[in-house]
Amino acid sequence: MKKIGSLRHRVTVLKPSKTPDEAGGFVAMWAPVKKIWAEMLVPRFNQQVIQGGVQTSEQVQARVRKGHGIVLGDRIIWDNGSVYHVVAIDASRTDQDYIGMKIVKKRGS
């Protein structure tokens, strides 16, 4: 079993919320819902050219305790200010006290 002590980063979970705009539609806003403890594992970096521009992405495996209500599409602000998108969740290990996530940060065009 993984020791919870390795969850040493304080992160903020953001959930999407719809805010009415002046044209009768909605604008997607990101609202902070809670601060939790997390562990960041070894990141992986990719770079590719898309429509003449360079795009870099950083994929990170992360762990958090179970029961925080994190779902695909949420965002995580790491303790250094970096914003990551939750693209995968692994809660298949029922004998563990944590869930694994794949989170991605993209930059460029």
Side-chain angles (χ1 to χ4, degrees), residues 2-31:
K2 183 86 173 153
K3 293 189 185 260
I4 295 300
S6 62
L7 305 177
R8 64 183 184 273
H9 297 277
R10 195 70 170 157
V11 301
T12 304
V13 178
L14 302 173
K15 298 268 186 191
S17 65
K18 292 183 180 179
T19 304
D21 64 8
E22 296 176 6
F26 292 95
V27 177
M29 303 295 287
W30 292 93

Side-chain angles (χ1 to χ4, degrees), residues 1-108:
M1 180 184 309
K2 183 86 173 153
K3 293 189 185 260
I4 295 300
S6 62
L7 305 177
R8 64 183 184 273
H9 297 277
R10 195 70 170 157
V11 301
T12 304
V13 178
L14 302 173
K15 298 268 186 191
S17 65
K18 292 183 180 179
T19 304
D21 64 8
E22 296 176 6
F26 292 95
V27 177
M29 303 295 287
W30 292 93
V33 291
K34 63 175 83 174
K35 288 189 176 266
I36 61 174
W37 292 101
E39 175 186 18
M40 180 184 284
L41 304 173
V42 179
R44 190 177 86 199
F45 299 93
N46 294 324
Q47 186 176 38
Q48 57 186 347
V49 176
I50 298 176
Q51 296 180 351
V54 176
Q55 183 181 59
T56 60
S57 67
E58 176 185 354
Q59 285 188 6
V60 177
Q61 298 291 330
R63 291 186 182 136
V64 297
R65 289 183 185 168
K66 288 183 178 178
H68 289 299
I70 297 174
V71 297
L72 294 178
D74 287 351
R75 291 184 181 177
I76 304 286
I77 299 179
W78 216 258
D79 53 4
N80 66 1
S82 297
V83 178
Y84 293 87
H85 303 267
V86 178
V87 296
I89 296 175
D90 179 15
S92 62
R93 298 287 309 265
T94 58
D95 61 330
Q96 302 289 333
D97 292 335
Y98 61 89
I99 60 169
M101 300 183 299
K102 183 189 296 183
I103 54 178
V104 174
K105 176 174 71 172
K106 292 186 178 182
R107 287 190 212 143

